[in-house]
Amino acid sequence: HHRPSGARVVVVDDHSTDGTAELAARHDFVTVVRAPDLPRRWTGKTWACHTGAAAVGSGELVFLDADVRVASGALDAVLAHRRRHGGLVSVQPFHEVPTAVEHLSGLPNVVSVMGAGAGTRRPNAVFGPVLCCDLADYRRSGGHAAVRTEVVEDVALGRRFRDAGLGVAVLGGGTAVRFRMYPGGWRQMVEGWSKNLATGAGGTPPPRAVAAALFGCGPAPGPIVARPTVRARHPRTAARGWGAEGALLRDSINDCSTRLAGGHEVSPS
């Protein structure tokens, strides 16, 4: 009920063992496509996205990671933005952090959004959980086949769109698009952020990289601390050992990406 009216949903079964394909196939608007065995020199995600796109003959594409949760009207808003501005539209979802450990993703979140230039006229990176484009533009850029060896394929795909003369826009998920990135704890979180920040740093313009580094190394600005927006499910546990200011900072820094993006967020009508 959260899909755009008349939209076709393609679910790529990338050798899942948890019954996802069977569950998806119960819906008459869903087409389940089984991904063939992974070819050499392809990453798993690029192959799955390429397989899904190949099942679509025309129109618009919205690539949506399986862990993304969208509110009613959210995808309509993303499509409307793309129709107004063209090119590739990316959404960085609101990052839900229900545990104390996951709150530590707040600072990397802000640094990555700043480094990407989200909300500016020329962002130098995109975020892969939600990507929207026209199929013709996707093929013109080379699509996921052109970035098949890239570990951080979303950044590389954004470069392909720019190199093809196509626009790129990055929006904040706000209250409409959410996900939980690292439920597996410390190791999963360190591996994920190390990969994303290290790869993204190479394509960040020096002034933007310096600003993000200074933000990460320096004290948080007052407005960020003053406006709490995220709530842990267990606030007492989350705040333990940090004090009231630390808990407030963690709660608010996680959602300041939308403000850093100049207020550009997904707003369902």
Side-chain angles (χ1 to χ4, degrees):
H1 61 284
H2 291 167
R3 66 190 174 101
S5 177
R8 175 186 174 199
V9 177
V10 176
V11 173
V12 179
D13 177 15
D14 192 12
H15 302 275
S16 173
T17 59
D18 62 2
T20 297
E22 292 76 9
L23 180 63
R26 297 176 187 173
H27 301 279
D28 56 8
F29 57 85
V30 174
T31 299
V32 177
V33 178
R34 181 173 175 79
D37 290 340
L38 186 68
R40 291 184 58 199
R41 297 180 59 81
W42 283 74
T43 65
K45 183 173 181 181
T46 57
W47 179 237
C49 289
H50 173 79
T51 300
V56 178
S58 62
E60 295 168 300
L61 300 173
V62 177
F63 294 96
L64 194 69
D65 280 3
D67 57 357
V68 174
R69 301 294 178 262
V70 296
S72 179
L75 295 183
D76 292 284
V78 174
L79 286 165
H81 187 94
R82 196 215 66 79
R83 290 165 187 166
R84 287 194 303 270
H85 302 284
L88 177 67
V89 176
S90 164
V91 180
Q92 171 65 341
F94 180 94
H95 188 177
E96 294 184 329
V97 286
T99 67
V101 169
E102 290 173 87
H103 271 271
L104 297 177
S105 284
L107 187 57
N109 260 319
V110 174
V111 171
S112 66
V113 170
M114 290 177 67
T120 66
R121 292 185 178 181
R122 292 185 59 82
N124 56 280
V126 299
F127 297 98
V130 183
L131 294 172
C132 177
C133 62
D134 180 82
L135 181 59
D137 289 345
Y138 177 77
R139 291 173 175 168
R140 179 179 166 187
S141 73
H144 285 90
V147 298
R148 59 186 175 274
T149 63
E150 301 286 346
V151 176
V152 185
E153 83 296 329
D154 46 7
V155 174
L157 187 63
R159 293 195 191 108
R160 295 288 305 189
F161 267 77
R162 287 196 304 274
D163 291 345
L166 299 166
V168 175
V170 179
L171 309 177
T175 60
V177 183
R178 296 170 172 262
F179 67 179
R180 182 183 178 188
M181 286 182 69
Y182 302 122
W186 280 104
R187 178 173 296 182
Q188 184 184 35
M189 185 172 66
V190 171
E191 288 177 354
W193 281 119
S194 297
K195 176 192 74 173
N196 290 328
L197 292 177
T199 305
T204 303
R208 197 172 289 165
V210 170
L214 289 174
F215 181 93
C217 295
I224 294 177
V225 180
R227 184 182 172 189
T229 50
V230 184
R231 292 288 183 270
R233 293 180 186 173
H234 306 289
R236 291 183 182 176
T237 302
R240 188 176 298 144
W242 289 71
E245 287 190 21
L248 182 60
L249 171 61
R250 288 197 319 279
D251 282 351
S252 45
I253 200 172
N254 186 54
D255 193 39
C256 78
S257 60
T258 296
R259 280 169 279 155
L260 287 172
H264 294 74
E265 66 176 51
V266 177
S267 301
S269 57

